[in-house]
Amino acid sequence: MYLQLAWRNIWRNPRRTTVILLAIIIGVWSMIFENALMRGITVGMIKNSIATLTGHIQIHRRGYRSDPVIENSITEPEAVIAALKRILPPGTQWAARVRVNGIASNARHSSGVTLVGIDPASEAKVSFIGDAIAGGHQLQPDDPHAIVVGEALLDKFETKIGHKLVLMSQDTNQEIASKAFRIVGTFKAEMQSTEKQFVFITRKAAQQMLKLRQGLSEVSIVLPDQQESGVASRLKAILSPNGYEVNTWKELLPFLRAYLKLLDVFVYIWSLVIFIAMGFGIVNTTLMAVFERIREFGLMKALGMKPWWIVRQVLTESFLLLIIGIIMGNILAFLTVLALSDSGIDLSALAAGAEFAGMTRVIYPIVSIKDWSIANLLVMVLGLLICIYPAAKAAKFTPIEALAYT
Amino acid sequence: MKIVECIEIDKTYQQGKVKVHALRNISMNIEKGDFVALAGPSGSGKTTMLNIIGGLDSADSGKIIVDGNALSEMNQTQLANLRLHNIGFVFQAYNLIPVLSAAENVEYVMLLQGIPQAERRQRTKSILDEVGLAGKYDRRPAELSGGQQQRVAVARAIVSNPSIVLADEPTANLDSKTGKGLLDMMKKMNQEKKVTIIFSTHDRMVMNYAARLLRIRDGQLVDDQVKNN
Ligand SMILES: Nc1ncnc2c1ncn2[C@@H]1O[C@H](COP(=O)(O)OP(=O)(O)OP(=O)(O)O)[C@@H](O)[C@H]1O
Ligand SMILES: [Mg+2]
């Protein structure tokens, strides 16, 4: 009967109830959706960063990360490869690269680039370059003169596929090595900066040009499940004593990690801001409803109701409103996320701005159980807490005041 | 047996800078089973008196004992419990909770008292039949006439057999025929169920229903007569 009474009471003023429900629904919807969007941005950024030549785990010669010069290369890759074969779980993909800084130039332009020597077959399974070819064709393993560059670089150099590009870098003899390549293909990346930074040639061509023999700069590993820390520590145990460094993506991308933490904080602040706006609406309308019923509360007290029972009754009414609003807000949020889960939100139109913030071009909202329960709990618990105020007001009227009130 | 005992009750209200002496040195007793009218002109202190007996308001000095309980020694929770279990109220108007039906209004007090549902239902139905509302159980207050609403209020006040029912001008908002009907019904309840009822009025016709008449003027008890009708 208490619930029934509360239910009838909230529908005494259908318009007010509708307004308050709308506020809760919109609040819950925007909290969940906003969180899903943030989570989508975050996951997109991580995926993109891992695919942009990072991988889950990387192995370098100690010293390479602070000073990525040719002298800090892995000169005897056999030992590393043997360790990989022993430790990596089945389903793991890995690729070995040569990666040095150099200068690309043609007749009109020149610019600093990162020269990456890859094995196209194994690289395709590890990083974005496998399915990023936008024009021309992918590198052939036996083509020592081929080079693949980013679309943005092609534009910047005012050149096209089939034309020449000269690469310069320091070789192992401390001399400037330089070699002409023919552009066979272009790639597209999430970020323009990626397109301008990396140029790809075959690993063999790079090793020859830089006189590296079998030498490598790094090994990049992508695990089937994202459980990188266990594998990394096992690799470390073997490789660290021999002068190698093993790092997980979290260690390799400290900026990204800090950024993600900031996003987390932002999500909570944003949820709170939405809640405060919604909370004012709830408190105000509940207060209004309470003042309209002063007589009734006075009557109840005259009949022997204790103040606490009145508090409980008002809170029961608020609870009903909150639970209806929360359920409908959730349904709305899930429908929105579902509708966007295929196509995502395409930010290409504002790609420059989005890229500045480090976001990918398309955002796919993701609802995590944690975000979802935090949003719902926040609304329910804080919602009830703030309604204690009007409820206490209702309980404070004395029967005489209330019955004299007209 | 004394149900209500008032000894030298005084009550003063502060109205801005003016002091209003609402009750002056009132002493009286009410016996179990009495059917008492508290009569007096407007502003004489009838409502104040009933509120003090019902524990809704407190006296400045003097002693009130209701059903063996000295009200001045009780805290708010104890007073609430006394009202819930021992006192029935009927006000002039707005007696009912608008979202509850007639039957639910009656049942609600018993729910608060912790009476089991089956008993609540049975008692609600029989009391509504007795006050002449058979078949109107499911009507909301807005769907009942003023007289019918007051009958529901009386039914609610007496359904849990309180020691005393306090009715503040229960007929004031009713036309005289409806008012008489209500009073006939209240008198019947008083005689059949032996429930003690005090009602206030300024209406001569209404006073005539009482078995005992307490007259009050300017906060003073001026007359106390027992009638034989
Ligand atoms: N809360 C209050 N504050 C100040 N004065 C009050 C208050 N309640 C009652 N009074 C005053 O006390 C006196 C008695 O009032 P009371 O309401 O008891 O009269 P009453 O006999 O019930 O009158 P009525 O027939 O108009 O209902 C009046 O002069 C009234 O103005
Ligand atoms: Mg009065």
Side-chain angles (χ1 to χ4, degrees), chain A residues 178-194:
Chain A
S178 134
K179 187 175 185 304
F181 292 87
R182 187 171 304 279
I183 300 170
V184 297
T186 59
F187 68 87
K188 248 181 126 49
E190 280 291 347
M191 318 251 171
Q192 284 219 337
S193 58
T194 307

Side-chain angles (χ1 to χ4, degrees), chain A residues 7-48:
Chain A
W7 177 254
R8 287 185 201 166
N9 273 329
I10 63 176
W11 292 108
R12 273 161 98 153
N13 191 330
R15 228 179 68 179
R16 187 168 55 211
T17 298
T18 310
V19 169
I20 200 167
L21 276 179
L22 275 178
I24 299 172
I25 291 168
I26 292 171
V28 169
W29 171 79
S30 59
M31 266 188 219
I32 294 179
F33 183 59
E34 222 84 29
N35 286 1
L37 220 54
M38 282 294 170
R39 204 54 60 191
I41 290 172
T42 307
V43 169
M45 280 169 71
I46 294 174
K47 269 193 186 153
N48 182 47

Side-chain angles (χ1 to χ4, degrees), chain A residues 54-325:
Chain A
T54 306
H56 294 140
I57 298 173
Q58 281 193 351
I59 301 170
H60 299 102
R61 177 78 171 273
R62 184 164 295 125
Y64 177 88
R65 280 187 63 221
S66 50
D67 189 13
V69 292
I70 193 92
E71 289 84 359
N72 286 331
S73 303
I74 301 169
T75 46
E76 281 141 13
E78 296 80 12
V80 175
I81 290 166
L84 292 183
K85 286 196 172 143
R86 200 133 52 85
I87 285 174
L88 293 185
T92 308
Q93 302 294 340
W94 58 272
R97 312 180 181 121
V98 172
R99 177 170 172 172
V100 290
N101 291 326
I103 293 167
S105 58
N106 67 3
R108 294 186 199 144
H109 301 274
S110 72
S111 144
V113 293
T114 299
L115 186 167
V116 189
I118 57 171
D119 166 35
S122 61
E123 191 67 39
K125 292 170 188 155
V126 169
S127 66
F128 76 103
I129 193 68
D131 48 12
I133 297 301
H137 61 79
Q138 181 62 279
L139 287 174
Q140 303 299 313
D142 52 357
D143 186 351
H145 304 293
I147 186 167
V148 169
V149 302
E151 295 259 276
L153 190 90
L154 204 70
D155 285 348
K156 186 178 163 194
F157 275 58
E158 299 174 81
T159 182
K160 42 187 184 193
I161 291 171
H163 287 204
K164 269 188 185 167
L165 193 70
V166 176
L167 293 183
M168 273 192 288
S169 187
Q170 204 183 49
D171 69 18
T172 48
N173 299 335
Q174 311 266 356
E175 279 162 19
I176 299 296
S178 134
K179 187 175 185 304
F181 292 87
R182 187 171 304 279
I183 300 170
V184 297
T186 59
F187 68 87
K188 248 181 126 49
E190 280 291 347
M191 318 251 171
Q192 284 219 337
S193 58
T194 307
E195 291 178 12
K196 284 181 188 162
Q197 190 190 348
F198 296 106
V199 299
F200 295 91
I201 57 177
T202 64
R203 193 168 69 209
K204 244 182 239 148
Q207 284 165 338
Q208 264 168 22
M209 171 183 163
L210 300 168
K211 305 197 169 66
L212 256 176
R213 288 203 300 274
Q214 295 301 307
L216 298 170
S217 306
E218 68 187 17
V219 176
S220 175
I221 300 163
V222 171
L223 297 167
D225 47 7
Q226 269 200 33
Q227 306 297 314
E228 66 275 339
S229 53
V231 177
S233 60
R234 261 171 280 152
L235 282 172
K236 250 178 223 169
I238 297 186
L239 294 173
S240 274
N242 301 321
Y244 298 103
E245 242 185 313
V246 179
N247 299 103
T248 65
W249 66 270
K250 285 179 182 157
E251 294 160 345
L252 295 163
L253 302 165
F255 172 75
L256 184 66
R257 264 184 73 200
Y259 191 83
L260 296 183
K261 265 195 192 142
L262 201 71
L263 271 187
D264 253 5
V265 173
F266 182 74
V267 163
Y268 295 135
I269 293 176
W270 181 243
S271 297
L272 211 63
V273 166
I274 295 176
F275 181 82
I276 288 169
M278 189 172 72
F280 270 107
I282 296 176
V283 168
N284 266 322
T285 33
T286 311
L287 266 181
M288 231 155 74
V290 161
F291 274 102
E292 271 174 23
R293 282 157 60 198
I294 288 182
R295 274 195 153 277
E296 204 174 307
F297 292 125
L299 172 71
M300 288 174 164
K301 271 185 134 179
L303 296 180
M305 242 184 153
K306 276 147 213 150
W308 154 241
W309 295 354
I310 292 178
V311 170
R312 186 179 62 186
Q313 196 196 313
V314 175
L315 286 184
T316 307
E317 290 167 22
S318 305
F319 172 80
L320 279 181
L321 283 171
L322 285 165
I323 199 89
I324 298 171

